Amino acid sequence: MKALEGIKILDFTHVQSGPTCTQLLAWFGADVIKVERPGVGDATRKQLVDVPGADSLYFTMLNHNKRSIELNSKNETGKEVLERLIKTCDVLVENFAPGALDRMGFSWERVHELNPRMIMASVKGFGPGKYEDCKVYENVAQCAGGSASTTGFLDGVPTVTGAQIGDSGTGLHLALGICAALLQREKTGKGQKVLAAMQDGVINLCRVKLRDQQRLKAGPLKEYSQFGEGIPFGDATPRAGNDSGGGQPGRILKCKGWETDPNAYTYFITQAAVWEQICDVIGKPDWKTKEGYATPPERLDKLNEIFERIEQWTMTKTKFEVMDICNPLNIPVGPILSMKEIAEDEGLRETGTIVEVDHPERGAYLSVGCPIKLSDSPVDVVRSPLLGEHTEEILRDVLGYDGDDLERVKSSGAVGEVKAAAE
Ligand code: COA
């Protein structure tokens, strides 16, 4: 049995933010029914195509364990099918541009009227307010959520991160909201609206930067490199390069091979608790007791000198040797892993964090498996559905259409061409 077994999700999501949410719910055991426009489907199916004619990796990696029904939600018969889906499912998840669902005729009021137990969960770019009508993509959210202004180097431009905190991050937030609403429904019997705005999700993940914004009132942020460099602070949290965001100073340092390998680096944290071990490892035992170096506050204006000395040592080792030497001493370090190294990591395959999946159009590909492990709800990653692969199955088995009624829907143009399953 799976954690969300018996829960039916009407998945009206597309692109990345919404699909990450419904993919997680599917991995936890929910039956996720993805509604797609006939003949077109989720736009990502045909974006960044690497195998001509096959669904893109962009799509396949975000839509595992779902069923796909082609349905024109603007056509009369399509609306009838959608109403039945709303009455049958527990949760409707959507990330349309603001107002699109209302224009389709499925406002929250209408959905609630059709099924008072239904939870209606939305990703939007912004919450209520002056920007609520705006369309938003990942990098816009990173910029509007405070991430870009605090990422990058002091002398460089605002920078977006590779981690999709606006899309996948908001999908995670929404999944949590849905699970909470499902639990509340156990007690109240009623559905509710769940909103995860991408700006809010990014702000949530940038919490430490808002912390620093307020700390600025009390003086310079001493753990930032710019303090040791004597560069004055402005009135907003600055970009901090690779400085650690916490109270334990850290930096990215070169390792053996850095001249030719762009990822021959390690993250190194000078955690106060292991300062003595660090001094021994880098060959500076006198720093353990030397005035100006012995305690964390004394060291704050010397971080550049200290990290330069540590780097002289890390440059004599590979990033994995640094890990092997520091870990037994409890010194927190981490190799800068390339995507190639992650793809080839056997440990990540064993835990199911990286999985190989077979697909009828494209063959085997790698994907990220479920990053959250439940001990009593194992995840089997199943390939993403082809467009409309389950249309007939859903009409028949989930919604109970059969005989002439089924033929009426199939010939109405509402569901596209009904195909036999690919496998
Ligand atoms: N049948 C008929 N029409 C359908 C349909 C279906 N099955 N599925 C979607 N459509 C229609 C919608 O009703 C909408 O029509 P309308 O504009 O006439 O009302 C249209 O398709 C386009 O939907 P929309 O969501 O506006 O897509 P877009 O490509 O214009 O915008 C985004 C894409 C991502 C910018 C926008 O959806 C958005 O801002 N979403 C919220 C934030 C978000 O999730 N962003 C991150 C995405 S990773």
Side-chain angles (χ1 to χ4, degrees), residues 14 16-17 71 73-74 95-97 103-104 135-136 167:
H14 63 153
Q16 184 182 165
S17 64
L71 186 67
S73 57
K74 288 180 173 165
N95 67 314
F96 289 125
R103 288 194 290 279
M104 238 181 245
K135 286 185 178 179
V136 168
D167 279 338

Side-chain angles (χ1 to χ4, degrees), residues 225 242-244 249-253 266-269 303-304 307:
S225 301
N242 290 317
D243 293 344
S244 159
R251 297 274 175 90
I252 287 186
L253 305 177
T266 186
Y267 202 89
F268 197 107
I269 297 182
L303 291 180
N304 282 357
F307 279 112

Side-chain angles (χ1 to χ4, degrees), residues 21-35:
C21 166
T22 51
Q23 180 169 260
L24 280 171
L25 301 175
W27 280 338
F28 291 151
D31 180 7
V32 176
I33 298 170
K34 185 168 174 107
V35 176

Side-chain angles (χ1 to χ4, degrees), residues 12 14-19 35-38 43 58 69-75 94-101 103-104 123-126 134-138 166-167 198:
F12 235 144
H14 63 153
V15 203
Q16 184 182 165
S17 64
V35 176
E36 300 187 77
R37 218 177 330 185
Y58 195 4
I69 175 172
E70 282 180 289
L71 186 67
N72 182 350
S73 57
K74 288 180 173 165
N75 145 318
E94 62 93 20
N95 67 314
F96 289 125
L101 211 55
R103 288 194 290 279
M104 238 181 245
V123 169
K124 292 289 167 263
F126 294 95
C134 299
K135 286 185 178 179
V136 168
Y137 281 105
E138 172 69 49
D167 279 338
M198 294 168 74

Side-chain angles (χ1 to χ4, degrees), residues 25-151:
L25 301 175
W27 280 338
F28 291 151
D31 180 7
V32 176
I33 298 170
K34 185 168 174 107
V35 176
E36 300 187 77
R37 218 177 330 185
V40 182
D42 187 324
T44 60
R45 283 187 185 267
K46 296 294 166 247
Q47 279 175 10
L48 311 178
V49 167
D50 58 327
V51 177
D55 283 331
S56 70
L57 286 167
Y58 195 4
F59 177 83
T60 57
M61 292 176 72
L62 286 162
N63 289 286
H64 293 106
N65 297 67
K66 303 180 185 178
R67 299 200 271 176
S68 165
I69 175 172
E70 282 180 289
L71 186 67
N72 182 350
S73 57
K74 288 180 173 165
N75 145 318
E76 273 319 303
T77 312
K79 282 185 200 293
E80 171 202 312
V81 175
L82 195 56
E83 285 194 7
R84 281 216 206 181
L85 277 166
I86 291 171
K87 286 179 183 160
T88 309
C89 291
D90 299 275
V91 188
L92 185 163
V93 191
E94 62 93 20
N95 67 314
F96 289 125
L101 211 55
D102 292 356
R103 288 194 290 279
M104 238 181 245
F106 292 97
S107 62
W108 160 245
E109 289 72 23
R110 178 76 184 126
V111 168
H112 194 59
E113 184 185 54
L114 288 169
N115 179 357
R117 283 177 58 80
M118 175 158 263
I119 290 155
M120 187 163 137
S122 305
V123 169
K124 292 289 167 263
F126 294 95
K130 59 184 170 177
Y131 298 128
E132 66 186 316
D133 291 333
C134 299
K135 286 185 178 179
V136 168
Y137 281 105
E138 172 69 49
N139 288 348
V140 176
Q142 288 198 26
C143 293
S147 176
S149 73
T150 53
T151 304

Side-chain angles (χ1 to χ4, degrees), residues 242 252-267 314 317-322 334-342:
N242 290 317
I252 287 186
L253 305 177
K254 291 170 185 159
C255 291
K256 197 191 239 173
W258 67 273
E259 299 90 335
T260 51
D261 176 354
N263 295 304
Y265 290 82
T266 186
Y267 202 89
T314 58
K317 312 276 178 245
T318 69
K319 61 189 176 188
F320 297 111
E321 286 167 349
V322 170
I336 307 306
L337 293 184
S338 68
M339 274 299 146
K340 181 170 184 294
E341 287 165 326
I342 286 173

